[in-house]
Amino acid sequence: MYHDMELLYCVKAQHSGYKKQEERMKKLLLVLMIALIASTTLFAQAAAESVDTFPDKPVTALIGWSAGGGADIVFRAIAEVFPKYANGQPLVIQNQGAAAGVPAITEFMKAEPTGYNVLHWNVAHVIKTHMTKTAFTATEFEPVLQVVASYNYLVVNANAKWNTLAEFVADAKANPETIALGNAGTGGGNHMASLLFEQATGTSYIHVPFSGGGPAITGLMSGQCDAVMANAPEGIANVQAGQLKVLGVFSDKALDSIPAKTGVDQGVDLVLEQWRGVVVPKGTPPAIVAKLESIFKQCIEDPAYIKKMQELGSIPTYKNGADYGKLVAFDDARYEKIVKDGGFGDKYTK
C-alpha cells in the first residue's frame, strides 16, 4: 500500500513537472513568435525606408560605346533630368567603347546588384552575342525598361557625289567593294544593318568599324570612310549644320527630324529599327528595380528629354521591365536566326 501511494505521488509529480515544462515551452514559443513578428515588421519597415530613400548616392550608368554616339547622347539627355526624380542624385555616365562594349559588359557582370550600377542595353549588344562568342548572353541581365526607339540611316558628307539612295546603290553595284562604309563596331547593330543593307541591295562594301557611332561620324567627316550606317541620333546635329546629308532612312514611314526619303520609298525594301534600354545585374532586389523603372520612366516623360529626342530623330518609347524583357528575348531569337541563316560573324561558322 505504501509503495502504491509512493508510486502515485511520483506519477503526479512527474505529470505536474511535464505540465509546467509544457507551459514554459508555450510561453517561450509565444515570446519567439512575438520577436519574429517584430523583427519581420522592422525589416519590412527598414526595407521600405531604404527604397524610399533610394538613391542616396550617385547612380552610375555604364555605356559600352564611346562618347558622342547614339547611346551616349540618349543617356546624357536622361542624365540632365535624372536628379529631378532621384532625390537630387546624379546619373554618372561612364563610357567604355572598346570592342563594341564587350569588355565593359563582361566587367559589368561583376557589379553588385544594389541598383547603383545600371547598364545601357540595346539591340547591338544582342546581335553581338550571336556574331561572336561572348561571356554574356542577350538575357544575362535584369530588364528595367526601354527608353527610346530609333532607325538606321545612311549618311554621307554634304559634298559627296551621291544625292539619293538609288545613286549610292547604283554606284556600289557598278564598283563592288570600293565604297568604304563605316559602322559603330564589328558585330554591333549598325554593322548588322550594313550587312542586311548589302543583302537587300545586292551590293558589297569595305566595312570600316569604329569604337562607336560618334567616332564613326568623326571618321566620315575626316575622310576615313565614304559613308556611315548610323542610328539616331548619331550625326543628326551635323546634318542640321549642313556638314552631312542623309541619303535614306530605313524606317517604315518618313520622319520629320530626318530630311530624307525612306529606303522603301526609294526601292530598298528594308526597315531597320533599334531600341535602347536599361538593365541591372540579376539579383537586384525587385523593389529597387521597380524604383529605378519609376525614376527612368519619369525621366523619359520629361518634356526636355522628349524634345531632345525628337530633334535628333529618336522616338521616346516606354516599355516596362516585363515587356522590355520580352522584346529582348524576341530579338535574341530573331537575330540568332538572321546571323545563322546569313552566315554572318564567326560564332556559328567555326
Side-chain angles (χ1 to χ4, degrees), residues 15-29:
H15 178 71
S16 176
Y18 283 147
K19 194 169 183 179
K20 288 180 180 179
Q21 187 176 7
E22 184 179 2
E23 288 175 356
R24 283 197 298 270
M25 287 297 294
K26 285 181 178 179
K27 288 180 180 178
L28 179 60
L29 285 172

Side-chain angles (χ1 to χ4, degrees), residues 63 69-79 93 120 147-148 150 232-233 276 300 305 308-309 312 314:
I63 300 174
D72 181 65
I73 293 171
V74 168
F75 269 63
R76 287 189 188 278
I78 292 174
I93 306 300
H120 161 272
V147 298
V148 76
S150 55
R276 303 183 191 279
I300 67 174
Y305 173 81
K308 183 75 171 177
M309 292 301 99
L312 296 175
S314 295

Side-chain angles (χ1 to χ4, degrees), residues 157 210 214-226 228 244:
N157 281 300
F210 292 87
I217 294 299
T218 301
L220 172 62
M221 295 178 67
S222 64
Q224 296 177 56
C225 58
D226 302 307
V228 164
L244 303 176

Side-chain angles (χ1 to χ4, degrees), residues 53-60 82 86-91 114 116-117:
T53 58
F54 176 88
D56 59 9
K57 61 182 180 180
V59 175
T60 299
F82 190 84
N87 300 326
Q89 297 297 330
L91 182 67
T114 59
Y116 286 99
N117 294 288

Side-chain angles (χ1 to χ4, degrees), residues 228-240:
V228 164
M229 181 62 76
N231 183 261
E234 296 157 2
I236 294 299
N238 304 97
V239 172
Q240 294 168 346

Side-chain angles (χ1 to χ4, degrees), residues 81-305:
V81 298
F82 190 84
K84 291 167 61 175
Y85 310 106
N87 300 326
Q89 297 297 330
L91 182 67
V92 179
I93 306 300
Q94 188 178 86
N95 298 94
Q96 293 183 31
V102 171
I105 297 166
T106 303
E107 185 65 25
F108 185 81
M109 294 171 68
K110 304 173 187 175
E112 291 293 325
T114 59
Y116 286 99
N117 294 288
V118 304
L119 176 68
H120 161 272
W121 196 245
N122 73 331
V123 69
H125 297 317
V126 172
I127 293 168
K128 187 68 175 178
T129 65
H130 296 295
M131 292 287 281
T132 191
K133 291 181 180 179
T134 59
F136 51 88
T137 66
T139 55
E140 186 78 31
F141 306 104
E142 183 71 29
V144 178
L145 81 167
Q146 180 184 350
V147 298
V148 76
S150 55
Y151 295 91
N152 283 102
Y153 44 88
L154 191 68
V155 62
V156 297
N157 281 300
N159 61 358
K161 61 182 178 180
W162 315 285
N163 291 306
T164 66
L165 194 60
E167 291 176 2
F168 185 86
V169 170
D171 190 7
K173 285 183 175 179
N175 303 285
E177 296 188 22
T178 58
I179 298 173
L181 181 56
N183 63 69
T186 301
N190 293 353
H191 182 208
M192 172 58 71
S194 298
L195 296 174
L196 292 174
F197 176 63
E198 277 188 330
Q199 196 175 67
T201 57
T203 55
S204 57
Y205 304 91
I206 301 169
H207 293 279
V208 183
F210 292 87
S211 62
I217 294 299
T218 301
L220 172 62
M221 295 178 67
S222 64
Q224 296 177 56
C225 58
D226 302 307
V228 164
M229 181 62 76
N231 183 261
E234 296 157 2
I236 294 299
N238 304 97
V239 172
Q240 294 168 346
Q243 299 167 315
L244 303 176
K245 59 186 175 184
V246 179
L247 299 184
V249 56
F250 300 104
S251 56
D252 52 357
K253 60 183 179 181
L255 302 176
D256 293 338
S257 55
I258 299 180
K261 291 182 179 180
T262 67
V264 174
D265 288 340
Q266 298 186 71
V268 179
D269 189 13
L270 185 64
V271 174
L272 298 168
E273 181 181 359
Q274 297 200 37
W275 44 258
R276 303 183 191 279
V278 180
V279 296
V280 292
K282 292 282 190 184
T284 301
I288 296 297
V289 175
K291 184 66 179 290
L292 281 169
E293 181 186 326
S294 174
I295 292 170
F296 276 99
K297 183 175 185 289
Q298 291 176 86
C299 289
I300 67 174
E301 290 174 347
D302 189 286
Y305 173 81

